[in-house]
Amino acid sequence: MKLWKPASLLMALVISALPSMPAWAETYEVKLLNRDETGPYPFVPEFLKIKPGDKVTFKLVTTGHAPASIEAMMPAGVKPFRTKINQGITVEFTEKGLYGIKCIPHFSMGSVMILQVGDEASLDDLKISSDVPPISQKRFKDIIARAKAAGAK
């Protein structure tokens, strides 16, 4: 009878646990611009689908921006985030669902994006809050249409 050495036993345990370990989280970059082909003050990309545990870095390409979550447009119980003017941020998204994101000073001018975490929610499930300015409501609808045309659900 052959006895296992402690190192061999440890290696066997590590290898057997690998399939059950979560995949490494990724970090995505979203840029806040002053203008692109979709109009003024866009987030690029304007729609992003990630996995729970992934992070998003909101990078200011020009000054005058401040990314923040829209509390009425995110999963219940999730802590909102908010930055100061000219401050980027990296946020880890652990809860599945749809998130509305805005640029605080340019919110009334349509500076918004949609973040989808996981596969459970559909873009059809996004409830655009009545507190969202009309131009931003229109941009949310345009983002949904463009995302669906590109194959998002």
Side-chain angles (χ1 to χ4, degrees), residues 103-112 132-136:
C103 174
I104 298 167
H106 302 118
F107 187 36
S108 65
M109 295 174 256
S111 188
V112 295
V132 172
I135 293 173
S136 291

Side-chain angles (χ1 to χ4, degrees), residues 17-127:
L18 284 177
S20 63
M21 295 176 81
W24 292 102
E26 293 189 46
T27 300
Y28 296 87
E29 183 178 273
V30 172
K31 296 177 182 177
L32 284 83
L33 305 176
N34 284 342
R35 178 170 287 284
D36 75 356
E37 67 278 355
T38 66
Y41 306 112
F43 285 78
V44 178
E46 62 185 3
F47 171 75
L48 180 62
K49 182 178 178 183
I50 64 174
K51 295 176 184 162
D54 285 347
K55 296 178 182 178
V56 176
T57 297
F58 294 92
K59 181 180 179 184
L60 311 182
V61 176
T62 57
T63 60
H65 300 288
S69 54
I70 301 172
E71 290 185 51
M73 295 180 64
M74 53 192 291
V78 174
K79 183 180 176 189
F81 69 89
R82 179 182 182 100
T83 65
K84 296 179 181 178
I85 298 284
N86 298 326
Q87 183 181 43
I89 188 172
T90 298
V91 180
E92 180 179 7
F93 292 88
T94 58
E95 297 299 319
K96 296 175 184 176
L98 296 168
Y99 293 75
I101 311 291
K102 66 182 177 182
C103 174
I104 298 167
H106 302 118
F107 187 36
S108 65
M109 295 174 256
S111 188
V112 295
M113 76 166 291
I114 300 170
L115 182 69
Q116 180 180 1
V117 180
D119 293 320
E120 284 72 18
S122 163
L123 286 170
D124 293 327
D125 298 331
L126 183 67
K127 304 287 188 258

Side-chain angles (χ1 to χ4, degrees), residues 127-140:
K127 304 287 188 258
I128 301 172
S129 172
S130 60
D131 294 338
V132 172
I135 293 173
S136 291
Q137 288 184 24
K138 180 183 181 321
R139 185 169 260 174
F140 272 127

